Amino acid sequence: MRRGVFRSLGLVLGLVLGSGAHILAAQERIPPATVVYLVRHAEKVDDSADPDLSAAGRARAAELARVLNEAGITAVFSSEFTRTRRTADPLATARGLTVEIYDPRDPAATVHTLRSRGGRILVVGHSNTVPGLVLALGGGPVSAITDSEYDRLYIVVLTEGQVTTTLLRYGAPSP
């Protein structure tokens, strides 16, 4: 009787352990997600060609760094403008990263770079480029960003065959 119980117990244990190994093997085949965080630059001091950030913009950039500091950001991208670089700098500095420049006029090249890089990436752009990048990544829905709107934080998660988009707000609410 005992021999039969132990044999049955061994069979059940073997099935459970075997299926667990199968599940682990299946999990190993799933590629890690690429997560792209996209924001418009923070508030600027004026409407000149290449303005710096205002005090409110510096506070928003610091808040972005605080919000994303533990998100595991592995790369930070910004357009070449001062306001975008200054928005990206606090997080890049906190993470020990260098801000990499991308061309907002070439979304296809940017998407290729982001997908190739993988990981968790912050992209700082402009009101007229962030929605287009979200769409180019396969995300959405998006709407136009108004001139006074600085608090959108899009999170686009790219996995094999699926894209999900989440819109959050951060920092002081935009008017």
Side-chain angles (χ1 to χ4, degrees), residues 67-159:
V67 167
L68 294 181
N69 189 46
E70 294 185 33
I73 300 294
T74 56
V76 177
F77 287 85
S78 165
S79 70
E80 72 277 9
F81 294 97
T82 300
R83 59 193 176 272
T84 54
R85 287 184 285 119
R86 296 278 193 268
T87 303
D89 281 341
L91 179 63
T93 299
R95 301 285 304 157
L97 301 169
T98 301
V99 176
E100 300 178 50
I101 303 300
Y102 77 97
D103 183 356
R105 294 171 299 263
D106 192 352
T110 301
V111 167
H112 176 75
T113 299
L114 298 175
R115 286 181 178 271
S116 298
R117 176 69 64 91
R120 295 173 178 262
I121 304 165
L122 171 64
V123 178
V124 181
H126 304 269
S127 61
N128 63 342
T129 64
V130 168
L133 269 178
V134 171
L135 292 173
L137 285 163
V142 296
S143 59
I145 298 175
T146 66
D147 287 344
S148 62
E149 192 175 7
Y150 296 94
D151 62 350
R152 284 193 201 186
L153 169 59
Y154 283 103
I155 304 171
V156 181
V157 180
L158 309 165
T159 56

Side-chain angles (χ1 to χ4, degrees), residues 10-25:
L11 179 61
V12 169
L13 188 57
L15 286 172
V16 168
L17 291 176
S19 66
H22 175 71
I23 291 169
L24 287 176

